[in-house]
Amino acid sequence: MFCAALTPLDADLAPDHAVFAKHCRHLLSEGCDGIALLGTTGEANSFSSGERKALIESVVKAGVSPSQLLPGTGVAALTETVELTRHALSLGVTTVVMLPPFYYKDISEEGLYASYSEVIQRVADARLKVVLYHIPQMSHQPIPHAVIARLRAAYPDTIVGIKDSSGDFANMTAMIEKFPGFAVLAGADPLLLPLLKKGGAGCITATSNLVARELAYVFRHYNDDDAALEAAQNRIVKARERASQFAQIATLKTLLAQQTGHAGWRRLRPPLLPLSQENADKLLATVPQKEPV
């Protein structure tokens, strides 16, 4: 169970390394198995390569084990994807989450396969494990099953899983059935429980920034079918619904600022913007007083 971690920003809208390291330690203490940093929720595509590298370096320096980090390294430029992936490996991070190239549209399956294949060949490191990132509503580039099959056949020790943030549960279960041993990870918090029951591997989700303990409980007790499991799932669903009332990243940051008492969490880097005060007030009015956000 991995958290798609938010990225805190300082007054200059640069990643706040100290606050981020503290957040990572908190998430791990709440039961997360690892931190998926610099993904969609972490505003990765708003940061330069240098900023991305510095954030990973800072969290490793702060004592978080590289084995607990799953950074996003997929960007539009092939050579930059290689650079970011090699950098992660140089720090001891061996598993990365990799977006497909996402600027050019209507890319052929051959082109998509060639892009991932070229990155793996150029990185040329047997330690590398790649979790594909299927989020077509953002990338406008789906990852078809035929491409997954080719990549797994060519690089069976490298292409180890996929984060499916499409919300298409049928696609997730189809991959579980089609690709034995391939880790299918849900990108939507409420889908963790049903996916585990179908043989899924877990999740990389945004609302775990707020309800990591509940998601960890579901991950470890999904076969119990008792009142505690039902209660945890209900809190997860409510938290996800609350986080989806307005623009998700801004909403999550507003909720995390309220939960931690650190107002700086509300900052986003343009073009993303914080919630208006009116919407923030509406959101926070829905937060129960005696249960986790």
Side-chain angles (χ1 to χ4, degrees):
M1 194 282 287
F2 301 93
C3 177
L6 293 159
T7 304
L9 304 180
D10 63 21
D12 292 327
L13 303 183
D16 190 323
H17 295 171
V19 174
F20 184 69
K22 181 179 179 181
H23 184 49
C24 290
R25 288 193 292 266
H26 170 73
L27 291 168
L28 294 170
S29 73
E30 289 286 283
C32 288
D33 295 295
I35 311 297
L37 65 162
L38 294 168
T40 304
T41 304
E43 302 175 66
N45 287 297
S46 293
F47 302 132
S48 68
S49 289
E51 289 173 314
R52 292 165 76 132
K53 291 177 182 178
L55 186 64
I56 302 175
E57 289 169 7
S58 71
V59 75
V60 171
K61 187 176 180 180
V64 177
S65 171
S67 66
Q68 294 176 304
L69 298 178
L70 280 75
T73 63
V75 295
L78 186 149
T79 49
E80 192 173 6
T81 299
V82 171
E83 177 188 347
L84 290 169
T85 304
R86 283 177 175 166
H87 176 260
L89 285 160
S90 75
L91 298 174
V93 176
T94 57
T95 304
V96 302
V97 181
M98 197 175 291
L99 275 169
F102 50 80
Y103 178 79
Y104 295 106
K105 304 304 180 272
D106 300 319
I107 297 298
S108 67
E109 290 187 1
E110 185 66 33
L112 183 58
Y113 171 83
S115 179
Y116 276 117
S117 178
E118 193 73 22
V119 169
I120 294 167
Q121 290 185 51
R122 291 189 184 208
V123 171
D125 193 317
R127 296 174 298 162
L128 177 63
K129 308 295 182 188
V130 173
V131 175
L132 305 172
Y133 190 4
H134 178 68
I135 183 168
Q137 68 271 31
M138 297 291 283
S139 68
H140 296 279
Q141 179 56 64
I143 304 177
H145 292 187
V147 172
I148 297 171
R150 283 189 67 189
L151 287 169
R152 292 190 76 226
Y155 308 104
D157 297 324
T158 303
I159 302 296
V160 297
I162 189 166
K163 176 186 177 183
D164 189 334
S165 292
S166 68
D168 185 349
F169 191 69
N171 185 60
M172 299 177 209
T173 55
M175 289 188 290
I176 292 168
E177 294 171 4
K178 190 174 292 187
F179 305 123
F182 187 60
V184 177
L185 301 156
D189 310 82
L191 295 181
L192 172 61
L193 179 57
L195 189 68
L196 289 170
K197 291 181 178 292
K198 292 289 188 178
C203 68
I204 302 175
T205 57
T207 316
S208 53
N209 284 278
L210 304 169
V211 289
R213 184 175 299 183
E214 285 80 1
L215 283 156
Y217 186 89
V218 168
F219 181 69
R220 291 169 176 82
H221 299 275
Y222 68 92
N223 275 325
D224 291 357
D225 287 326
D226 58 11
L229 179 67
E230 182 179 356
Q233 179 70 2
N234 286 339
R235 287 194 293 272
I236 290 165
V237 171
K238 288 179 182 177
R240 180 74 178 201
E241 290 172 348
R242 191 176 298 121
S244 301
Q245 289 183 59
F246 303 105
Q248 188 180 76
I249 299 172
T251 300
L252 286 167
K253 283 196 158 184
T254 299
L255 290 168
L256 192 56
Q258 189 267 355
Q259 188 180 77
T260 62
H262 181 61
W265 268 112
R266 289 193 61 184
R267 300 185 185 109
L268 287 85
R269 180 176 285 189
L272 301 181
L273 296 173
L275 293 186
S276 68
Q277 192 58 53
E278 179 184 3
N279 286 342
D281 290 342
K282 288 179 181 177
L283 172 67
L284 295 177
T286 69
V287 178
Q289 295 300 307
K290 294 185 178 181
E291 71 173 27
V293 180

